[in-house]
């Protein structure tokens, strides 16, 4: 590299300033102006390099966080697609039938409008069975309602030829089953596809009715154990058929997460009881 291809160092700049002072006054004035402009440019260059280094440092510092966010989005998307394929429901209320010979086509509008994907992005478990629908769209709000309020719905009850009420059409969904007729032609206990919470349906004079979630009718214990400063949660559940008790380990570090894991286990193993069991903590 020649001397003309490399930046002047500090000693060389000092030497130039000394030589400028030895020039005739007329020449020293304009050459001095050039040197001052050179020094301002050099100072500005240093500021820009410092700013770039700072931005690079911040970017590198946040790159791990960004990667984690992208990784979580990828995991959520994978969970969403797996549920669409295995369970067979999505925002448009289609792709119910199994088996399917081809993976469903999904476009941007499906992603934006899918309540299932929104549920997964909120850290909630995808249900292992399709939820009720309201005018063709998944009605997760109804499943998550604690029963504090009733929903105004359009509903009608379907009867057999003998007059026995066996089904209901609620908000355009004809997959509701009548579990009990409490007050003739007025009040019924219904359940969607025989899975999930039960609801009390009260018919009015017209098509408008009221739908309210029934409170849990069974209580099960979740045991909290401590070992060396660590906590673990275990669900106590009666084994099927033999009268014994089984203990289901829950992957949770807090009570809230333990309750969520217990509900997810119940939905996966006993969907007909999901939403009908109250959990209480029991410290050992």
């Amino acid at each position: 590299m020649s001397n003309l291809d490399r930046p002047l160092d500090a000693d060389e700049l000092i030497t130039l300033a000394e030589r400028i002072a030895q020039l005739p006054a007329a020449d020293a004035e304009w050459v001095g102006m050039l040197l001052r402009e050179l020094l301002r440019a050099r100072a500005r260059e240093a500021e820009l390099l410092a700013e770039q280094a700072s931005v690079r440092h911040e970017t590198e510092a946040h790159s791990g966080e960004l990667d984690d966010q992208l990784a979580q989005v990828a995991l959520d998307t994978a969970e969403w697609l797996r549920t669409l394929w295995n369970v067979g429901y999505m925002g448009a209320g289609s792709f119910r039938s199994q088996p399917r010979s081809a993976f469903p086509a999904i476009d941007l509008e499906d992603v934006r409008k899918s309540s299932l994907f929104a549920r997964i992005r909120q850290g909630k478990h995808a249900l292992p069975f399709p939820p009720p629908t309201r005018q063709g769209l998944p009605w997760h709000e109804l499943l998550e309602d604690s029963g504090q309020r009733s929903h105004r719905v359009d509903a009608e009850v379907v009867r057999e030829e003998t007059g026995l009420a066996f089904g209901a059409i609620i908000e355009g969904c004809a997959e509701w089953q009548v579990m009990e007729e409490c007050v003739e032609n007025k009040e019924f206990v219904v359940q969607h596809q025989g899975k999930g919470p039960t609801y009390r349906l009260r018919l009015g004079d017209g098509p408008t009715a009221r739908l309210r979630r029934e409170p849990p009718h069974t209580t099960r214990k979740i045991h909290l154990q401590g070992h060396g400063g660590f906590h673990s949660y275990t669900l106590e559940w009666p084994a099927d058929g033999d009268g014994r008790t089984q203990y289901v380990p829950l992957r949770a570090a807090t009570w809230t997460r333990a309750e969520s894991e217990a509900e997810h286990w119940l939905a996966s193993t006993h969907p007909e009881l999901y939403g009908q069991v109250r959990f209480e903590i029991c410290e050992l």
Side-chain angles (χ1 to χ4, degrees):
M1 179 183 293
S2 67
N3 291 338
L4 296 178
D5 294 332
R6 63 177 179 80
L8 297 175
D9 59 26
D11 291 338
E12 289 172 326
L13 291 173
I14 293 174
T15 301
L16 282 178
E18 293 175 349
R19 294 184 63 179
I20 291 173
Q22 298 172 4
L23 292 173
D27 294 331
E29 182 179 358
W30 67 268
V31 176
M33 292 176 60
L34 288 176
L35 180 60
R36 288 192 295 272
E37 186 62 26
L38 170 64
L39 294 176
R40 280 195 293 269
R42 181 67 65 86
R44 179 55 180 161
E45 180 185 31
E47 292 176 0
L48 292 175
L49 291 175
E51 291 177 1
Q52 291 177 0
S54 177
V55 171
R56 189 182 306 110
H57 176 73
E58 292 180 1
T59 301
E60 292 174 353
H62 292 293
S63 61
E65 178 182 351
L66 180 61
D67 289 344
D68 290 344
Q69 291 176 354
L70 291 176
Q72 187 61 57
V73 170
L75 290 173
D76 292 340
T77 303
E79 174 70 9
W80 179 52
L81 297 178
R82 184 194 65 78
T83 305
L84 293 185
W85 185 251
N86 292 337
V87 180
Y89 68 93
M90 61 185 304
S94 57
F95 304 113
R96 284 279 182 89
S97 60
Q98 290 185 338
R100 290 172 293 279
S101 59
F103 195 83
I106 299 171
D107 56 29
L108 182 60
E109 198 67 14
D110 293 319
V111 175
R112 287 176 172 172
K113 291 186 175 181
S114 175
S115 58
L116 169 62
F117 189 49
R119 177 185 177 88
I120 294 173
R121 291 292 291 130
Q122 293 169 6
K124 300 176 181 178
H125 284 295
L127 293 174
F129 52 84
T133 60
R134 187 172 199 173
Q135 305 305 326
L137 296 177
W139 200 358
H140 286 112
E141 178 190 5
L142 183 66
L143 284 178
E144 295 173 353
D145 180 24
S146 61
Q148 298 299 315
R149 64 188 183 91
S150 63
H151 300 263
R152 187 173 181 177
V153 296
D154 289 336
E156 62 176 298
V157 171
V158 182
R159 297 181 180 273
E160 296 179 346
E161 293 181 356
T162 59
L164 178 66
F166 71 94
I169 303 174
I170 302 174
E171 290 294 296
C173 178
E175 297 176 330
W176 289 88
Q177 300 176 3
V178 172
M179 313 303 292
E180 180 185 356
E181 184 169 2
C182 306
V183 179
E184 186 176 1
N185 295 325
K186 288 292 184 181
E187 190 171 307
F188 306 82
V189 174
V190 298
Q191 187 180 35
H192 181 257
Q193 292 187 348
K195 302 173 183 178
T198 56
Y199 299 84
R200 189 164 296 267
L201 177 66
R202 292 185 173 91
L203 299 181
D205 295 332
T208 301
R210 289 283 179 177
L211 187 67
R212 189 186 188 99
R213 181 169 172 170
E214 290 280 87
H217 55 74
T218 302
T219 300
R220 297 299 176 194
K221 294 180 180 180
I222 294 179
H223 298 284
L224 169 62
Q225 294 178 301
H227 301 283
F230 294 95
H231 295 95
S232 62
Y233 294 87
T234 306
L235 171 64
E236 179 182 329
W237 191 263
D240 296 334
D242 56 10
R244 294 183 300 172
T245 299
Q246 61 176 321
Y247 294 91
V248 182
L250 304 175
R251 298 181 60 185
T254 65
W255 163 249
T256 300
R257 185 59 184 267
E259 191 175 25
S260 175
E261 290 295 320
E263 290 179 348
H264 181 61
W265 177 85
L266 187 62
S268 301
T269 58
H270 302 280
E272 73 283 358
L273 296 178
Y274 174 75
Q276 303 174 46
V277 178
R278 179 186 297 105
F279 298 103
E280 65 177 18
I281 192 169
C282 178
E283 296 190 27
L284 297 180

